[in-house]
Amino acid sequence: MAESDTPAEPTRRDFLLHAAGAFGVVGVAAAAWPFIDQMNPDASTRALASVEVDIAAVQPGQAITIMWRGKPVVIRNRTEKEVEEGKTVKLEELKDPLARNANADASADASDANRAAAGKENILVMTKVCTHLGCIPLDESGEFGGWFCPCHGSVYDTAGRIRKGPAPENLPIPPYAFLSDTKIRIG
């Protein structure tokens, strides 16, 4: 067997080369970490990512407004009459045919069933920001008993669907889930 075919024993120089290279990689990673870590959202932003709301005190016909990600979100316990009125609206009468529900398929129609959670049709959760120019609509106002934006006259029904006025879309429904019968997590 030729002398060049045998593997050479590692020398002290090889060890020092590998150790110095590993030390350099660790040093670069330690120096880069503060720059990488500062790109993460701060704690106040992460805290707003989701919010849990107890709705036990919200009686039929009442609503509460909470802040989520800097936007007002209304949680309304609709009466049986409001739910029934919402179900009878024909989709052809609506300006916006889409549900705009983050919990449903993007192409879901704006029927009352697609605007509320299954089995909890009386509870409506939606962002209360007018889709025209970002104004805050007034509760229980307007021709359809839902929301009315006094700035430019947009009128929403009790399911948050745009019925009249310049607003192009229904009030959006944020991602939410029921944790229990009386507790909702938004976000």
Side-chain angles (χ1 to χ4, degrees), residues 66-100:
I66 57 122
M67 294 301 285
W68 173 68
R69 294 186 179 177
K71 297 178 191 170
V73 173
V74 66
I75 302 170
R76 179 162 176 80
N77 188 347
R78 300 187 296 169
T79 63
E80 287 296 322
K81 181 182 177 208
E82 290 172 336
V83 173
E84 290 307 314
E85 286 173 355
K87 289 179 181 179
T88 61
V89 174
K90 295 182 175 92
L91 293 176
E92 300 82 41
E93 296 175 12
L94 301 174
K95 284 183 68 174
D96 183 10
L98 298 177
R100 309 281 175 203

Side-chain angles (χ1 to χ4, degrees), residues 104-120:
D105 185 54
S107 63
D109 64 43
S111 65
D112 192 77
N114 288 335
R115 298 280 298 163
K120 301 277 188 190

Side-chain angles (χ1 to χ4, degrees), residues 78 86 110 112 115 124 126 146-147 156-161 171 173:
R78 300 187 296 169
D112 192 77
R115 298 280 298 163
L124 182 67
M126 64 184 183
W147 290 265
Y156 299 90
D157 67 9
T158 57
R161 300 173 292 197
L171 294 173
I173 296 174

Side-chain angles (χ1 to χ4, degrees), residues 5 11 13 21 35 42 53 79 84 88 96 108 115 118 127 129 131 155 167:
D5 291 340
T11 64
R13 174 179 277 163
F35 298 107
D42 77 341
V53 182
T79 63
E84 290 307 314
T88 61
D96 183 10
R115 298 280 298 163
T127 307
V129 177
T131 58
V155 182

